[in-house]
Amino acid sequence: MAEDPGRRRVLLAAPRGYCAGVDRAVIAVEKALDQYGPPIYVRHEIVHNKYVVSTLEKKGAIFVDETAEVPEGEIVIFSAHGVSPEVHREAERGRLATIDATCPLVTKVHKEAVRFAEADYDILLIGHEGHEEVIGTSGEAPDHITLVDGPDDVANVEVRDPEKVVWLSQTTLSVDETMETVAGLKRRFPLLVDPPSDDICYATQNRQTAIKQVAADADLVLVVGSKNSSNSARMVEVALGAGAGAAYLVDNADEIEETWLDGVTTVGVSSGASVPEVLVDGVLAWLAGRGFGEVEVVQPMREHIQFSLPKELRRDLRAEAAAKARG
């Protein structure tokens, strides 16, 4: 039977949205506000999503760029992207009580960096310059880590001993581009050591796998996520590489342009790992209002991972902070 030429549909990727690390970090801020009362200070955005940050601000969270901006004797939460040891020392000097909401998968990369630095390896960290996760990881072993910002940066890499080199990566990168970078590094350094386990997080990989399947059949792909979200931005790139006619990153339905639907019969939809489902629901409602009410879920795999909340939420941090301020 021939397909209805007037049929309009949405291919909804799954998994999408919150990963276990983001869920843990957001809940950590919410629980801290409930347990200790506002204000709760958060160093940098807890996750890279405007809606999430705005929602938490309304509840009493105060986001700061630097630890020094937090008043003495207050509570500060470190974001899911992780921080360097120096930031922990800054908090101690500022007599602050801290909650570390670093994603456990980022913490794993930090520990790998420390271990390889102690063994005197040159560490080639694949990632984007200036990203908070890269800054935090680099701070674990600044004398041993060299940033490699994609395949085009491979030729610039210099190491002390080509026989003692290992690569690590930011957790939110494009899997394909990272492997291209690794291949280039291995051509230059044949004895390059792989990390003991994959550094790119399971959620990033799963969302990219799902968006590839969606993009292959989509005229247009909409990825819900903020512009400063690395994993969301990579999903747009992956969608275009997988055959999408066009792909755009939008914070919410208000950013979709009507002209994008010209000549479109199939729209793919997904969201980055820091995006709450309410924003995806808004995009689906917007599309339904324009004739795209048929939704087909594309789910190549399922996720069951959960992380326990930061241990600091089991203590009386207000009392600890007050004691530090007195001391």
Side-chain angles (χ1 to χ4, degrees):
M1 181 182 295
E3 188 169 324
D4 179 2
R7 181 189 183 199
R8 293 181 173 185
R9 61 175 180 158
V10 173
L11 299 179
L12 181 60
R16 63 182 177 277
Y18 273 11
C19 63
V22 165
D23 195 41
R24 174 181 185 266
V26 174
I27 291 175
V29 179
E30 292 173 338
K31 282 195 170 294
L33 287 165
D34 288 342
Q35 285 182 215
Y36 310 121
I40 295 292
Y41 290 83
V42 184
R43 187 183 184 276
H44 292 173
E45 294 184 353
I46 188 68
V47 296
H48 287 157
N49 185 268
K50 289 181 181 178
Y51 176 89
V52 172
V53 170
S54 174
T55 300
L56 292 173
E57 283 178 330
K58 291 172 184 174
K59 294 180 179 180
I62 298 175
F63 293 86
V64 297
D65 290 329
E66 300 298 337
T67 314
E69 298 175 49
V70 182
E72 187 176 279
E74 288 289 349
I75 298 171
V76 63
I77 298 180
F78 297 138
S79 79
H81 309 103
V83 298
S84 68
E86 177 56 29
V87 172
H88 285 279
R89 290 191 287 269
E90 289 173 359
E92 190 65 29
R93 290 194 294 268
R95 299 181 178 183
L96 306 176
T98 61
I99 298 174
D100 191 352
T102 302
C103 172
L105 299 179
V106 174
T107 299
K108 177 183 76 72
V109 179
H110 281 224
K111 290 179 178 178
E112 289 171 351
V114 170
R115 182 163 67 85
F116 281 110
E118 288 175 347
D120 202 30
Y121 274 77
D122 278 348
I123 301 166
L124 306 182
L125 178 60
I126 301 172
H128 296 303
E129 186 172 4
H131 191 278
E132 290 161 38
E133 185 184 326
V134 165
I135 293 170
T137 303
S138 298
E140 294 285 359
D143 295 335
H144 288 80
I145 290 179
T146 298
L147 179 64
V148 185
D149 198 342
D152 294 341
D153 201 21
V154 169
N156 302 321
V157 175
E158 299 292 339
V159 300
R160 295 170 301 158
D161 181 356
E163 296 187 359
K164 290 199 72 172
V165 188
V166 62
W167 70 271
L168 303 176
S169 81
Q170 181 182 327
T171 63
T172 55
L173 300 179
S174 159
V175 178
D176 294 338
E177 183 177 319
T178 301
M179 290 302 99
E180 183 184 348
T181 304
V182 171
L185 289 171
K186 286 189 172 181
R187 284 192 291 270
R188 287 203 59 200
F189 310 109
L191 298 180
L192 180 71
V193 174
D194 295 325
S197 61
D198 201 339
D199 283 347
I200 297 178
C201 93
Y202 76 95
T204 296
Q205 295 187 54
N206 290 349
R207 280 147 190 73
Q208 289 179 17
T209 297
I211 203 68
K212 282 181 181 179
Q213 289 196 18
V214 165
D217 295 318
D219 306 305
L220 166 69
V221 169
L222 300 175
V223 176
V224 185
S226 292
K227 303 299 184 290
N228 62 338
S229 168
S230 176
N231 77 87
S232 299
R234 299 294 82 72
M235 287 173 67
V236 173
E237 296 171 1
V238 169
L240 290 170
Y248 300 97
L249 182 63
V250 295
D251 257 302
N252 51 55
D254 294 340
E255 295 186 357
I256 306 172
E257 297 185 17
E258 296 270 1
T259 56
W260 295 349
L261 296 179
D262 291 348
V264 168
T265 59
T266 301
V267 179
V269 175
S270 189
S271 58
S274 52
V275 177
E277 190 66 7
V278 63
L279 299 180
V280 176
D281 291 341
V283 168
L284 294 177
W286 188 94
L287 289 168
R290 287 151 183 84
F292 290 84
E294 179 185 341
V295 178
E296 176 185 337
V297 176
V298 178
Q299 185 163 16
M301 76 285 293
R302 296 182 182 274
E303 293 177 349
H304 304 285
I305 293 177
Q306 290 183 313
F307 296 133
S308 59
L309 291 174
K311 61 184 183 299
E312 296 90 348
L313 288 168
R314 298 193 290 268
R315 305 203 304 259
D316 185 353
L317 288 187
R318 283 288 176 213
E320 289 184 27
K324 286 186 176 185
R326 290 194 301 270

